[in-house]
Amino acid sequence: MSGFPAPSPAEAAHLSGLVLEWFDRSQRVLPWRSEPTPYRVWVSEIMLQQTRVEAVKPYFARFVSRLPDVAALAAVDEDTLLSLWEGLGYYNRVRNMQKAAKTVMAQYGGRLPDTAAELSKLSGIGSYTAAAIASIAFGEAVPAVDGNVLRVLARLFGIEEDILSPRNKKAFTALDGRLLPPQRAGDFNQAMMELGALVCLPNGTPLCGECPFREDCRAYQEGSAAYLPVRAAKRKRRVEERTVLLITTPSGRFLVRRRPKKGLLAGMWEFIEYQGALTAEEAAAAAEGMGLSVEEIEPLPHATHLFTHIEWQLSGWLILCKEEVPVSGGVYLSMKEREGYAIPSAFRTYLAAAEEFSEKM
Ligand code: SF4
C-alpha cells in the first residue's frame, strides 16, 4: 500500500491505547524520565540526537550536575561548556543550547517557554525537539516524530513513501497527531519512540513477537518489515585524508592548538593535524618547520571518523622532540591536566595514544 491513511477516532484510540499500555509496562527507567523538568528534558533530547540512550546516561549526569539549570548553562564559560560535551560530538549543538539559554534568561525570565511554537524559536530547537519538550514537560498535545516514530508508523500502516522527504515527514507527523491522545501526549510520544528503540528495531529485525501492534500491523501481516521504512539514497560522504602529529618532548606534554573559529569542529582543541597522508619524512619535516628538533618518530594506528557529509581517514605519527619550543597558537598540554581543553572524538584514537604514552613517562 502507498499513501497515508487517516485512521478514525476509534481506530486511533485503539492503537494509542495499545502502545500506552505497553509503555506503562515496559518503559525503561531513565534519569530524565524520573524527574522530567523542562531543562532536563531539553538536555536529554539534544544529547539523544546523536548518541544511544545507554551512552548518554553518564554524559547527562555530569552535565546536569555541573549545570543544573538554564541560568547555569547561560553563564558557563565556553571551554567548560565544550569539555562537558566532550565525547558527544556535534559541538555546535551545545553552543546553540547556550545561545538559547541566554535568550531564555533575557526574554523569558529564565523559564523555558511552554509551547512547541515558542520553543522552536530558540536556537538549536527544531520541530521535533520542541514537540518533545512541550509534550513531555508541559503536557502539550503535539506529536513528536523522530526516526524511531517514522519507522513504527511506516511499518504499522505499510507506508511506502520516502521518510526523508520533508513533505512526507509532514504527512507522517499529521498521522501521528491523529493517534495522539491529548490527555497523555508526553507519554504517547515517548511510548512510540521507545517502541521504535526497543521493539520495532531498524535494519529489518523488529521483535514483532513482543509488539503491542502485532495484530494491527500491515508490515507484520505482509512480511514487509525488512523493506520499510523507505529511504531515498543518501548522498555519499566526501573522503578526506588527514595526518595527526602527536608532538611531545621529555616533559610528557603534547602540543595542541585551537581550530579556526569557523568550519568543522570550530574553536575546539586538537593535536597538530594536516591534510593528506604524510610520510614519516614529511611529518618530521613539518615538525622541524615549526622550529622543533625531532629525535624519534613512530607510526600510530589508522582511524576513521564520520561527520555528516565528510569521512576522515586518519593516520598519525608520534614525534618525540628534544625540547618544547614556542609555536604560534600552540600550547603544550599534559594529558593529566587537560580539563577545559575539549578535544573532539574525531581524534579519540590519538588521544588514547597520548594518554598511554603519558602514563609510561
Ligand atoms: Fe514493528 Fe513488528 Fe510491531 Fe509491526 S509488529 S510495528 S513491524 S515490531
Side-chain angles (χ1 to χ4, degrees):
M1 176 187 141
S2 291
F4 290 87
S8 68
E11 284 165 335
H14 166 67
L15 293 170
S16 61
L18 288 174
V19 76
L20 281 168
E21 194 265 330
W22 171 84
F23 184 64
D24 290 341
R25 260 188 297 119
S26 315
Q27 64 173 294
R28 290 169 289 185
V29 177
L30 301 174
W32 46 92
R33 265 192 197 147
S34 48
E35 202 190 319
T37 64
Y39 176 72
R40 289 164 65 90
V41 173
W42 178 31
V43 173
S44 70
E45 286 298 337
I46 300 293
M47 287 186 173
L48 288 166
Q49 284 172 13
Q50 59 220 41
T51 313
R52 286 174 311 104
V53 164
E54 280 311 310
V56 159
K57 282 182 185 172
Y59 291 110
F60 177 82
R62 183 178 70 172
F63 194 92
V64 297
S65 96
R66 175 72 178 73
L67 305 175
D69 52 30
V70 176
L73 172 57
V76 71
D77 67 275
E78 191 182 39
D79 280 337
T80 307
L81 182 70
L82 295 179
S83 63
L84 285 169
W85 205 257
E86 189 182 324
L88 284 165
Y90 299 97
Y91 289 85
N92 276 342
R93 292 191 178 158
V94 74
R95 287 198 174 101
N96 280 331
M97 282 184 75
Q98 185 173 50
K99 228 176 171 180
K102 287 180 178 168
T103 307
V104 171
M105 294 308 292
Q107 294 176 18
Y108 296 91
R111 294 167 70 91
L112 277 165
D114 61 3
T115 63
E118 281 295 305
L119 283 161
S120 60
K121 291 181 191 162
L122 295 170
S123 189
I125 300 191
S127 56
Y128 159 75
T129 308
I133 300 169
S135 62
I136 298 168
F138 298 112
E140 192 188 5
V142 280
V145 175
D146 69 350
N148 283 320
V149 179
L150 287 170
R151 183 167 63 254
V152 172
L153 290 172
R155 289 175 174 168
L156 173 60
F157 294 101
I159 300 168
E160 296 170 9
E161 305 287 343
D162 173 18
I163 57 166
L164 298 177
S165 120
R167 193 165 56 94
N168 291 340
K169 177 97 189 283
K170 271 193 183 157
F172 275 108
T173 305
L175 170 59
D176 197 48
R178 288 181 86 103
L179 304 184
L180 180 133
Q183 67 286 3
R184 289 194 68 187
D187 285 347
F188 173 79
N189 284 337
Q190 292 185 84
M192 291 291 280
M193 292 181 228
E194 190 89 329
L195 190 72
L198 298 183
V199 176
C200 194
L201 303 175
N203 305 323
T205 54
L207 309 173
C208 302
E210 297 170 26
C211 182
F213 289 147
R214 197 173 55 251
E215 304 292 319
D216 301 270
C217 178
R218 289 292 290 256
Y220 179 64
Q221 287 156 13
E222 295 169 2
S224 58
Y227 315 106
L228 292 172
V230 172
R231 261 190 209 86
K234 280 198 188 166
R235 250 193 10 198
K236 278 185 95 180
R237 290 189 177 89
R238 187 176 77 238
V239 177
E240 287 182 5
E241 286 186 320
R242 321 284 298 196
T243 304
V244 177
L245 306 187
L246 291 190
I247 294 177
T248 189
T249 70
S251 72
R253 287 191 286 263
F254 286 82
L255 183 57
V256 298
R257 66 182 172 195
R258 236 193 225 287
R259 290 180 64 83
K261 278 203 154 66
K262 292 234 154 78
L264 204 61
L265 306 174
M268 311 287 304
W269 289 90
E270 65 170 8
F271 297 108
I272 307 303
E273 176 257 316
Y274 289 92
Q275 271 195 0
L278 269 57
T279 62
E281 289 72 30
E282 288 167 337
E288 301 268 0
M290 286 185 262
L292 290 149
S293 169
V294 174
E295 305 224 297
E296 279 174 44
I297 179 160
E298 280 177 30
L300 292 167
H302 286 269
T304 300
H305 188 79
L306 303 179
F307 297 96
T308 313
H309 303 299
I310 299 173
E311 174 180 327
W312 271 4
Q313 287 293 341
L314 297 148
S315 51
W317 297 98
L318 176 67
I319 304 181
L320 183 62
C321 296
K322 196 164 162 217
E323 59 194 357
E324 291 179 7
V325 168
V327 170
S328 165
V331 174
Y332 289 90
L333 185 67
S334 150
M335 289 298 108
K336 288 176 194 125
E337 295 159 10
R338 62 177 200 86
E339 207 186 306
Y341 290 81
I343 296 180
S345 57
F347 300 109
R348 80 163 71 76
T349 302
Y350 304 102
L351 190 55
E355 282 168 353
E356 195 185 318
F357 183 82
S358 305
E359 273 162 28
K360 285 192 210 144
M361 292 295 288

mmCIF file of all heavy atoms in Angstrom, residues 30-56:
data_model
loop_
_atom_site.group_PDB
_atom_site.id
_atom_site.type_symbol
_atom_site.label_atom_id
_atom_site.label_comp_id
_atom_site.label_asym_id
_atom_site.label_seq_id
_atom_site.Cartn_x
_atom_site.Cartn_y
_atom_site.Cartn_z
ATOM 1 N N LEU A 30 14.801 6.002 33.155
ATOM 2 C CA LEU A 30 15.852 6.889 32.649
ATOM 3 C C LEU A 30 15.919 8.126 33.534
ATOM 4 O O LEU A 30 14.885 8.596 34.018
ATOM 5 C CB LEU A 30 15.546 7.304 31.205
ATOM 6 C CG LEU A 30 15.412 6.150 30.206
ATOM 7 C CD1 LEU A 30 14.968 6.664 28.849
ATOM 8 C CD2 LEU A 30 16.730 5.403 30.073
ATOM 9 N N PRO A 31 17.122 8.659 33.730
ATOM 10 C CA PRO A 31 17.266 9.780 34.687
ATOM 11 C C PRO A 31 16.389 10.977 34.343
ATOM 12 O O PRO A 31 15.876 11.646 35.233
ATOM 13 C CB PRO A 31 18.750 10.147 34.601
ATOM 14 C CG PRO A 31 19.369 9.268 33.601
ATOM 15 C CD PRO A 31 18.398 8.230 33.165
ATOM 16 N N TRP A 32 16.205 11.277 33.056
ATOM 17 C CA TRP A 32 15.388 12.449 32.701
ATOM 18 C C TRP A 32 13.901 12.122 32.756
ATOM 19 O O TRP A 32 13.066 13.010 32.777
ATOM 20 C CB TRP A 32 15.770 12.983 31.312
ATOM 21 C CG TRP A 32 15.903 11.924 30.273
ATOM 22 C CD1 TRP A 32 14.933 11.478 29.441
ATOM 23 C CD2 TRP A 32 17.082 11.176 29.952
ATOM 24 N NE1 TRP A 32 15.425 10.497 28.629
ATOM 25 C CE2 TRP A 32 16.742 10.286 28.914
ATOM 26 C CE3 TRP A 32 18.384 11.168 30.457
ATOM 27 C CZ2 TRP A 32 17.657 9.402 28.361
ATOM 28 C CZ3 TRP A 32 19.289 10.281 29.895
ATOM 29 C CH2 TRP A 32 18.945 9.421 28.865
ATOM 30 N N ARG A 33 13.557 10.823 32.804
ATOM 31 C CA ARG A 33 12.141 10.458 32.936
ATOM 32 C C ARG A 33 11.693 10.558 34.375
ATOM 33 O O ARG A 33 10.553 10.918 34.658
ATOM 34 C CB ARG A 33 11.932 9.015 32.474
ATOM 35 C CG ARG A 33 11.517 8.961 31.059
ATOM 36 C CD ARG A 33 11.032 7.598 30.655
ATOM 37 N NE ARG A 33 11.039 7.564 29.214
ATOM 38 C CZ ARG A 33 11.280 6.504 28.481
ATOM 39 N NH1 ARG A 33 11.536 5.341 29.045
ATOM 40 N NH2 ARG A 33 11.270 6.591 27.179
ATOM 41 N N SER A 34 12.581 10.199 35.323
ATOM 42 C CA SER A 34 12.162 10.195 36.722
ATOM 43 C C SER A 34 11.949 11.627 37.220
ATOM 44 O O SER A 34 11.219 11.846 38.171
ATOM 45 C CB SER A 34 13.178 9.459 37.588
ATOM 46 O OG SER A 34 14.465 9.917 37.274
ATOM 47 N N GLU A 35 12.578 12.602 36.570
ATOM 48 C CA GLU A 35 12.412 14.000 37.004
ATOM 49 C C GLU A 35 12.335 14.859 35.730
ATOM 50 O O GLU A 35 13.313 15.510 35.362
ATOM 51 C CB GLU A 35 13.642 14.392 37.839
ATOM 52 C CG GLU A 35 13.414 15.565 38.766
ATOM 53 C CD GLU A 35 14.762 16.015 39.346
ATOM 54 O OE1 GLU A 35 15.585 15.150 39.705
ATOM 55 O OE2 GLU A 35 14.980 17.229 39.390
ATOM 56 N N PRO A 36 11.178 14.816 35.047
ATOM 57 C CA PRO A 36 11.128 15.438 33.705
ATOM 58 C C PRO A 36 10.910 16.947 33.724
ATOM 59 O O PRO A 36 9.906 17.462 33.232
ATOM 60 C CB PRO A 36 9.962 14.707 33.026
ATOM 61 C CG PRO A 36 9.051 14.343 34.147
ATOM 62 C CD PRO A 36 9.900 14.188 35.390
ATOM 63 N N THR A 37 11.864 17.681 34.323
ATOM 64 C CA THR A 37 11.752 19.145 34.264
ATOM 65 C C THR A 37 12.027 19.569 32.817
ATOM 66 O O THR A 37 12.724 18.857 32.085
ATOM 67 C CB THR A 37 12.791 19.820 35.174
ATOM 68 O OG1 THR A 37 14.091 19.508 34.662
ATOM 69 C CG2 THR A 37 12.675 19.350 36.613
ATOM 70 N N PRO A 38 11.512 20.734 32.400
ATOM 71 C CA PRO A 38 11.752 21.172 31.021
ATOM 72 C C PRO A 38 13.243 21.218 30.681
ATOM 73 O O PRO A 38 13.647 20.791 29.603
ATOM 74 C CB PRO A 38 11.130 22.574 30.990
ATOM 75 C CG PRO A 38 10.106 22.560 32.089
ATOM 76 C CD PRO A 38 10.626 21.644 33.145
ATOM 77 N N TYR A 39 14.062 21.696 31.607
ATOM 78 C CA TYR A 39 15.500 21.810 31.333
ATOM 79 C C TYR A 39 16.125 20.428 31.117
ATOM 80 O O TYR A 39 16.875 20.196 30.162
ATOM 81 C CB TYR A 39 16.184 22.526 32.502
ATOM 82 C CG TYR A 39 17.691 22.611 32.378
ATOM 83 C CD1 TYR A 39 18.283 23.463 31.448
ATOM 84 C CD2 TYR A 39 18.526 21.830 33.191
ATOM 85 C CE1 TYR A 39 19.668 23.537 31.325
ATOM 86 C CE2 TYR A 39 19.908 21.905 33.068
ATOM 87 C CZ TYR A 39 20.477 22.757 32.145
ATOM 88 O OH TYR A 39 21.849 22.824 32.019
ATOM 89 N N ARG A 40 15.794 19.476 31.982
ATOM 90 C CA ARG A 40 16.377 18.132 31.870
ATOM 91 C C ARG A 40 15.904 17.431 30.598
ATOM 92 O O ARG A 40 16.673 16.734 29.933
ATOM 93 C CB ARG A 40 16.040 17.297 33.112
ATOM 94 C CG ARG A 40 16.795 17.759 34.358
ATOM 95 C CD ARG A 40 16.177 17.198 35.621
ATOM 96 N NE ARG A 40 16.264 15.754 35.708
ATOM 97 C CZ ARG A 40 17.285 15.088 36.260
ATOM 98 N NH1 ARG A 40 18.293 15.747 36.792
ATOM 99 N NH2 ARG A 40 17.287 13.779 36.309
ATOM 100 N N VAL A 41 14.636 17.622 30.251
ATOM 101 C CA VAL A 41 14.130 17.010 29.008
ATOM 102 C C VAL A 41 14.875 17.609 27.812
ATOM 103 O O VAL A 41 15.300 16.899 26.896
ATOM 104 C CB VAL A 41 12.601 17.215 28.862
ATOM 105 C CG1 VAL A 41 12.114 16.727 27.503
ATOM 106 C CG2 VAL A 41 11.854 16.498 29.980
ATOM 107 N N TRP A 42 15.072 18.911 27.855
ATOM 108 C CA TRP A 42 15.784 19.587 26.764
ATOM 109 C C TRP A 42 17.205 19.020 26.616
ATOM 110 O O TRP A 42 17.611 18.592 25.534
ATOM 111 C CB TRP A 42 15.806 21.089 27.076
ATOM 112 C CG TRP A 42 16.530 21.966 26.115
ATOM 113 C CD1 TRP A 42 16.680 21.774 24.763
ATOM 114 C CD2 TRP A 42 17.211 23.192 26.425
ATOM 115 N NE1 TRP A 42 17.393 22.815 24.217
ATOM 116 C CE2 TRP A 42 17.735 23.699 25.210
ATOM 117 C CE3 TRP A 42 17.412 23.910 27.593
ATOM 118 C CZ2 TRP A 42 18.449 24.890 25.146
ATOM 119 C CZ3 TRP A 42 18.121 25.105 27.531
ATOM 120 C CH2 TRP A 42 18.638 25.589 26.324
ATOM 121 N N VAL A 43 17.954 18.989 27.724
ATOM 122 C CA VAL A 43 19.329 18.476 27.659
ATOM 123 C C VAL A 43 19.329 17.045 27.123
ATOM 124 O O VAL A 43 20.100 16.685 26.229
ATOM 125 C CB VAL A 43 20.000 18.529 29.058
ATOM 126 C CG1 VAL A 43 21.364 17.850 29.027
ATOM 127 C CG2 VAL A 43 20.126 19.968 29.547
ATOM 128 N N SER A 44 18.442 16.208 27.633
ATOM 129 C CA SER A 44 18.443 14.802 27.204
ATOM 130 C C SER A 44 18.094 14.696 25.725
ATOM 131 O O SER A 44 18.715 13.931 24.991
ATOM 132 C CB SER A 44 17.477 13.972 28.051
ATOM 133 O OG SER A 44 16.137 14.309 27.760
ATOM 134 N N GLU A 45 17.131 15.462 25.262
ATOM 135 C CA GLU A 45 16.736 15.369 23.853
ATOM 136 C C GLU A 45 17.871 15.792 22.929
ATOM 137 O O GLU A 45 18.081 15.180 21.884
ATOM 138 C CB GLU A 45 15.494 16.223 23.573
ATOM 139 C CG GLU A 45 14.201 15.617 24.116
ATOM 140 C CD GLU A 45 13.856 14.271 23.488
ATOM 141 O OE1 GLU A 45 14.311 13.977 22.369
ATOM 142 O OE2 GLU A 45 13.142 13.476 24.134
ATOM 143 N N ILE A 46 18.609 16.822 23.305
ATOM 144 C CA ILE A 46 19.717 17.256 22.438
ATOM 145 C C ILE A 46 20.814 16.184 22.444
ATOM 146 O O ILE A 46 21.364 15.824 21.400
ATOM 147 C CB ILE A 46 20.285 18.630 22.888
ATOM 148 C CG1 ILE A 46 19.189 19.707 22.836
ATOM 149 C CG2 ILE A 46 21.475 19.028 22.022
ATOM 150 C CD1 ILE A 46 18.673 20.087 21.484
ATOM 151 N N MET A 47 21.099 15.630 23.611
ATOM 152 C CA MET A 47 22.126 14.576 23.673
ATOM 153 C C MET A 47 21.697 13.341 22.880
ATOM 154 O O MET A 47 22.496 12.708 22.207
ATOM 155 C CB MET A 47 22.403 14.175 25.120
ATOM 156 C CG MET A 47 23.176 15.220 25.880
ATOM 157 S SD MET A 47 23.635 14.608 27.527
ATOM 158 C CE MET A 47 24.686 15.962 28.064
ATOM 159 N N LEU A 48 20.409 13.006 22.956
ATOM 160 C CA LEU A 48 19.930 11.784 22.300
ATOM 161 C C LEU A 48 19.864 11.923 20.779
ATOM 162 O O LEU A 48 19.689 10.929 20.073
ATOM 163 C CB LEU A 48 18.549 11.397 22.843
ATOM 164 C CG LEU A 48 18.563 10.851 24.277
ATOM 165 C CD1 LEU A 48 17.155 10.810 24.858
ATOM 166 C CD2 LEU A 48 19.190 9.464 24.322
ATOM 167 N N GLN A 49 20.005 13.143 20.279
ATOM 168 C CA GLN A 49 20.006 13.303 18.822
ATOM 169 C C GLN A 49 21.218 12.633 18.198
ATOM 170 O O GLN A 49 21.253 12.369 17.010
ATOM 171 C CB GLN A 49 20.014 14.786 18.442
ATOM 172 C CG GLN A 49 18.663 15.436 18.639
ATOM 173 C CD GLN A 49 18.726 16.937 18.445
ATOM 174 O OE1 GLN A 49 19.690 17.474 17.938
ATOM 175 N NE2 GLN A 49 17.682 17.616 18.849
ATOM 176 N N GLN A 50 22.249 12.419 18.980
ATOM 177 C CA GLN A 50 23.469 11.913 18.374
ATOM 178 C C GLN A 50 23.990 10.624 18.998
ATOM 179 O O GLN A 50 24.900 10.018 18.474
ATOM 180 C CB GLN A 50 24.554 12.978 18.448
ATOM 181 C CG GLN A 50 24.858 13.413 19.854
ATOM 182 C CD GLN A 50 25.083 14.906 19.958
ATOM 183 O OE1 GLN A 50 24.383 15.684 19.336
ATOM 184 N NE2 GLN A 50 26.061 15.296 20.721
ATOM 185 N N THR A 51 23.421 10.206 20.115
ATOM 186 C CA THR A 51 24.019 9.083 20.853
ATOM 187 C C THR A 51 22.929 8.195 21.449
ATOM 188 O O THR A 51 21.851 8.671 21.753
ATOM 189 C CB THR A 51 24.904 9.639 22.001
ATOM 190 O OG1 THR A 51 25.716 10.678 21.472
ATOM 191 C CG2 THR A 51 25.787 8.594 22.595
ATOM 192 N N ARG A 52 23.243 6.920 21.608
ATOM 193 C CA ARG A 52 22.271 5.975 22.162
ATOM 194 C C ARG A 52 21.996 6.278 23.636
ATOM 195 O O ARG A 52 22.849 6.817 24.345
ATOM 196 C CB ARG A 52 22.805 4.544 22.047
ATOM 197 C CG ARG A 52 22.786 3.964 20.655
ATOM 198 C CD ARG A 52 23.454 2.617 20.618
ATOM 199 N NE ARG A 52 24.759 2.632 21.278
ATOM 200 C CZ ARG A 52 25.012 2.136 22.485
ATOM 201 N NH1 ARG A 52 24.071 1.554 23.188
ATOM 202 N NH2 ARG A 52 26.213 2.214 23.021
ATOM 203 N N VAL A 53 20.810 5.839 24.087
ATOM 204 C CA VAL A 53 20.363 6.124 25.458
ATOM 205 C C VAL A 53 21.400 5.699 26.496
ATOM 206 O O VAL A 53 21.758 6.474 27.376
ATOM 207 C CB VAL A 53 19.014 5.419 25.717
ATOM 208 C CG1 VAL A 53 18.709 5.364 27.197
ATOM 209 C CG2 VAL A 53 17.898 6.132 24.981
ATOM 210 N N GLU A 54 21.905 4.469 26.385
ATOM 211 C CA GLU A 54 22.830 3.958 27.411
ATOM 212 C C GLU A 54 24.083 4.830 27.475
ATOM 213 O O GLU A 54 24.593 5.120 28.554
ATOM 214 C CB GLU A 54 23.230 2.507 27.107
ATOM 215 C CG GLU A 54 22.189 1.493 27.537
ATOM 216 C CD GLU A 54 21.709 1.707 28.973
ATOM 217 O OE1 GLU A 54 22.543 1.834 29.880
ATOM 218 O OE2 GLU A 54 20.474 1.768 29.175
ATOM 219 N N ALA A 55 24.570 5.235 26.293
ATOM 220 C CA ALA A 55 25.798 6.029 26.264
ATOM 221 C C ALA A 55 25.550 7.439 26.796
ATOM 222 O O ALA A 55 26.455 8.062 27.352
ATOM 223 C CB ALA A 55 26.341 6.080 24.843
ATOM 224 N N VAL A 56 24.323 7.949 26.637
ATOM 225 C CA VAL A 56 24.031 9.313 27.069
ATOM 226 C C VAL A 56 24.006 9.444 28.595
ATOM 227 O O VAL A 56 24.392 10.486 29.136
ATOM 228 C CB VAL A 56 22.681 9.797 26.467
ATOM 229 C CG1 VAL A 56 22.085 10.944 27.252
ATOM 230 C CG2 VAL A 56 22.875 10.218 25.015
#
